Amino acid sequence: MSVVIVTGVPGVGKSTVMAAAEEYGYKIVNFGTTMFEEAQKEGVKDRDDMRKLAIEDQQRLQKQAGEKISQMGDVVVDTHASILTHSGYMPGLPEWTARALNPDVIALVEATPDEIAGRRSKDATRARDSDNIGLHQRVNREYAAVAAVMTGATVAIVENHDNQVDVAVEQFRKLLGKLLKKHRILK
Protein backbone atom coordinates (compact mmCIF):
# COMPACT_ATOMS: atom_id res chain seq x y z
CA MET A 1 0.00 0.00 0.00
CA SER A 2 1.24 3.46 -0.89
CA VAL A 3 -0.23 6.62 0.62
CA VAL A 4 0.52 10.14 -0.58
CA ILE A 5 -1.03 12.98 1.39
CA VAL A 6 -1.58 16.24 -0.50
CA THR A 7 -2.25 19.32 1.60
CA GLY A 8 -2.60 23.04 1.09
CA VAL A 9 -4.70 25.95 2.21
CA PRO A 10 -8.22 26.24 0.79
CA GLY A 11 -8.06 27.63 -2.73
CA VAL A 12 -4.46 26.67 -3.54
CA GLY A 13 -5.47 24.12 -6.20
CA LYS A 14 -4.79 20.75 -4.58
CA SER A 15 -7.46 18.93 -6.58
CA THR A 16 -6.14 20.24 -9.89
CA VAL A 17 -2.58 19.12 -9.12
CA MET A 18 -3.67 15.70 -7.85
CA ALA A 19 -5.48 14.75 -11.05
CA ALA A 20 -2.17 13.27 -12.27
CA ALA A 21 -2.38 10.54 -9.62
CA GLU A 22 -4.96 8.51 -11.52
CA GLU A 23 -2.43 8.03 -14.34
CA TYR A 24 -0.39 5.97 -11.87
CA GLY A 25 -3.29 3.86 -10.59
CA TYR A 26 -3.86 5.75 -7.35
CA LYS A 27 -7.35 6.33 -6.06
CA ILE A 28 -7.91 9.97 -5.06
CA VAL A 29 -9.66 10.24 -1.71
CA ASN A 30 -10.84 13.52 -0.22
CA PHE A 31 -10.30 13.36 3.54
CA GLY A 32 -12.94 16.04 4.20
CA THR A 33 -15.53 14.12 2.18
CA THR A 34 -14.77 10.91 4.06
CA MET A 35 -14.96 12.82 7.35
CA PHE A 36 -18.24 14.43 6.27
CA GLU A 37 -19.70 11.01 5.45
CA GLU A 38 -18.89 10.00 9.02
CA ALA A 39 -20.37 13.28 10.37
CA GLN A 40 -23.57 12.84 8.37
CA LYS A 41 -24.20 9.62 10.27
CA GLU A 42 -24.38 11.88 13.34
CA GLY A 43 -26.69 14.48 11.83
CA VAL A 44 -24.28 17.09 10.41
CA LYS A 45 -25.97 18.56 7.33
CA ASP A 46 -23.31 20.79 5.73
CA ARG A 47 -19.62 20.09 5.15
CA ASP A 48 -18.57 23.60 6.18
CA ASP A 49 -20.39 23.12 9.51
CA MET A 50 -17.85 20.49 10.57
CA ARG A 51 -15.37 23.29 11.42
CA LYS A 52 -17.93 24.60 13.89
CA LEU A 53 -18.29 21.33 15.82
CA ALA A 54 -16.65 20.96 19.22
CA ILE A 55 -12.94 20.18 18.83
CA GLU A 56 -13.45 16.77 20.49
CA ASP A 57 -16.09 15.86 17.87
CA GLN A 58 -13.83 17.00 15.03
CA GLN A 59 -10.97 14.92 16.43
CA ARG A 60 -13.14 11.81 16.73
CA LEU A 61 -14.35 12.24 13.15
CA GLN A 62 -10.75 12.68 11.95
CA LYS A 63 -9.78 9.39 13.56
CA GLN A 64 -12.74 7.58 12.04
CA ALA A 65 -11.96 8.95 8.57
CA GLY A 66 -8.24 8.09 8.84
CA GLU A 67 -9.04 4.52 9.81
CA LYS A 68 -11.48 4.17 6.91
CA ILE A 69 -9.02 5.58 4.34
CA SER A 70 -6.16 3.40 5.61
CA GLN A 71 -8.10 0.36 4.39
CA MET A 72 -8.42 1.62 0.77
CA GLY A 73 -5.04 0.56 -0.72
CA ASP A 74 -2.96 2.86 -2.94
CA VAL A 75 -4.37 6.34 -2.40
CA VAL A 76 -3.63 10.00 -2.77
CA VAL A 77 -5.35 11.76 0.11
CA ASP A 78 -6.58 15.31 -0.47
CA THR A 79 -6.62 16.99 2.93
CA HIS A 80 -5.50 19.97 4.99
CA ALA A 81 -2.48 19.98 7.29
CA SER A 82 -4.32 22.47 9.50
CA ILE A 83 -7.87 23.70 9.86
CA LEU A 84 -8.68 27.19 11.10
CA THR A 85 -11.28 26.80 13.86
CA HIS A 86 -12.91 29.26 16.28
CA SER A 87 -10.13 28.50 18.79
CA GLY A 88 -7.09 28.49 16.48
CA TYR A 89 -5.43 26.08 14.06
CA MET A 90 -6.33 22.44 14.60
CA PRO A 91 -4.01 19.81 13.13
CA GLY A 92 -5.49 18.16 10.05
CA LEU A 93 -2.92 15.41 10.49
CA PRO A 94 -2.94 14.75 14.22
CA GLU A 95 -1.01 11.78 15.59
CA TRP A 96 -3.91 9.32 15.30
CA THR A 97 -4.67 10.32 11.70
CA ALA A 98 -1.03 10.45 10.56
CA ARG A 99 -0.28 7.03 12.05
CA ALA A 100 -3.47 5.49 10.61
CA LEU A 101 -2.64 6.79 7.12
CA ASN A 102 1.12 6.04 7.41
CA PRO A 103 2.04 8.13 4.35
CA ASP A 104 5.10 7.71 2.17
CA VAL A 105 5.01 11.38 1.16
CA ILE A 106 3.30 14.52 2.41
CA ALA A 107 3.10 17.00 -0.45
CA LEU A 108 2.25 20.63 0.27
CA VAL A 109 0.75 22.54 -2.63
CA GLU A 110 1.56 26.23 -2.26
CA ALA A 111 1.16 29.55 -4.08
CA THR A 112 1.54 33.16 -3.04
CA PRO A 113 -1.09 34.50 -0.63
CA ASP A 114 -2.28 36.98 -3.30
CA GLU A 115 -2.76 34.18 -5.84
CA ILE A 116 -4.76 32.11 -3.34
CA ALA A 117 -6.90 35.10 -2.29
CA GLY A 118 -7.71 35.73 -5.94
CA ARG A 119 -8.74 32.10 -6.48
CA ARG A 120 -10.90 32.12 -3.37
CA SER A 121 -12.70 35.27 -4.49
CA LYS A 122 -13.76 33.50 -7.70
CA ASP A 123 -15.10 30.36 -5.95
CA ALA A 124 -18.76 30.87 -5.03
CA THR A 125 -19.26 27.16 -4.25
CA ARG A 126 -17.75 27.33 -0.75
CA ALA A 127 -18.32 29.45 2.36
CA ARG A 128 -14.71 30.28 3.20
CA ASP A 129 -13.60 31.95 6.40
CA SER A 130 -11.10 34.76 5.98
CA ASP A 131 -7.66 34.09 7.40
CA ASN A 132 -4.03 35.11 7.11
CA ILE A 133 -3.05 32.93 4.15
CA GLY A 134 0.71 33.32 4.62
CA LEU A 135 0.47 32.34 8.28
CA HIS A 136 -1.80 29.42 7.40
CA GLN A 137 0.77 28.11 4.88
CA ARG A 138 3.55 28.39 7.49
CA VAL A 139 1.42 26.48 10.02
CA ASN A 140 0.80 23.83 7.34
CA ARG A 141 4.53 23.36 6.79
CA GLU A 142 5.14 22.95 10.50
CA TYR A 143 2.28 20.48 10.94
CA ALA A 144 3.40 18.48 7.88
CA ALA A 145 6.93 18.29 9.29
CA VAL A 146 5.62 16.95 12.60
CA ALA A 147 3.49 14.32 10.83
CA ALA A 148 6.54 13.34 8.77
CA VAL A 149 8.64 12.91 11.89
CA MET A 150 5.97 10.63 13.40
CA THR A 151 5.60 8.47 10.29
CA GLY A 152 8.94 8.64 8.47
CA ALA A 153 7.31 10.26 5.43
CA THR A 154 9.13 12.75 3.26
CA VAL A 155 7.76 16.26 2.73
CA ALA A 156 7.64 17.81 -0.74
CA ILE A 157 6.59 21.30 -1.85
CA VAL A 158 4.67 21.64 -5.13
CA GLU A 159 4.41 25.25 -6.32
CA ASN A 160 1.08 25.97 -8.06
CA HIS A 161 1.40 29.53 -9.33
CA ASP A 162 -1.16 31.32 -11.50
CA ASN A 163 -1.02 30.30 -15.16
CA GLN A 164 1.54 27.58 -14.33
CA VAL A 165 -0.65 24.64 -13.33
CA ASP A 166 1.11 22.44 -15.93
CA VAL A 167 4.40 22.98 -14.08
CA ALA A 168 2.79 22.03 -10.74
CA VAL A 169 1.17 18.91 -12.24
CA GLU A 170 4.53 17.87 -13.72
CA GLN A 171 6.23 18.32 -10.31
CA PHE A 172 3.59 16.04 -8.78
CA ARG A 173 3.91 13.46 -11.60
CA LYS A 174 7.68 13.25 -10.99
CA LEU A 175 7.07 12.78 -7.28
CA LEU A 176 4.67 9.89 -7.95
CA GLY A 177 7.00 8.35 -10.53
CA LYS A 178 9.88 8.30 -8.05
CA LEU A 179 7.61 6.78 -5.39
CA LEU A 180 6.45 4.02 -7.74
CA LYS A 181 10.05 3.27 -8.72
CA LYS A 182 11.01 3.03 -5.03
CA HIS A 183 8.13 0.62 -4.31
CA ARG A 184 9.07 -1.61 -7.27
CA ILE A 185 12.65 -1.84 -5.97
CA LEU A 186 11.45 -2.75 -2.47
CA LYS A 187 9.06 -5.49 -3.64
Side-chain angles (χ1 to χ4, degrees), residues 56-152:
E56 302 79 32
D57 292 329
Q58 292 183 53
Q59 291 171 338
R60 180 179 40 73
L61 291 168
Q62 283 177 320
K63 183 176 181 182
Q64 288 171 216
E67 290 169 349
K68 185 174 181 179
I69 292 169
S70 71
Q71 304 302 312
M72 293 181 181
D74 291 336
V75 295
V76 169
V77 183
D78 177 352
T79 192
H80 297 285
S82 65
I83 300 100
L84 181 58
T85 72
H86 61 277
S87 60
Y89 291 99
M90 181 178 86
L93 297 170
E95 181 267 338
W96 51 86
T97 302
R99 289 191 194 278
L101 292 171
N102 195 30
D104 295 282
V105 177
I106 302 170
L108 291 111
V109 179
E110 296 185 350
T112 69
D114 287 341
E115 289 171 326
I116 295 166
R119 293 171 195 169
R120 286 180 181 180
S121 70
K122 296 173 189 168
D123 183 2
T125 65
R126 298 291 304 273
R128 304 224 190 257
D129 298 330
S130 63
D131 68 338
N132 180 328
I133 296 170
L135 173 61
H136 199 160
Q137 287 192 126
R138 288 191 303 276
V139 170
N140 281 350
R141 282 185 177 204
E142 292 168 9
Y143 281 6
V146 170
V149 167
M150 287 188 290
T151 62

Side-chain angles (χ1 to χ4, degrees), residues 1-4 26-27 72-77 101-105 176 179-180 183 187:
M1 179 175 92
S2 177
V3 176
V4 176
Y26 283 87
K27 178 180 179 179
M72 293 181 181
D74 291 336
V75 295
V76 169
V77 183
L101 292 171
N102 195 30
D104 295 282
V105 177
L176 291 176
L179 183 59
L180 284 176
H183 276 277
K187 287 185 180 181

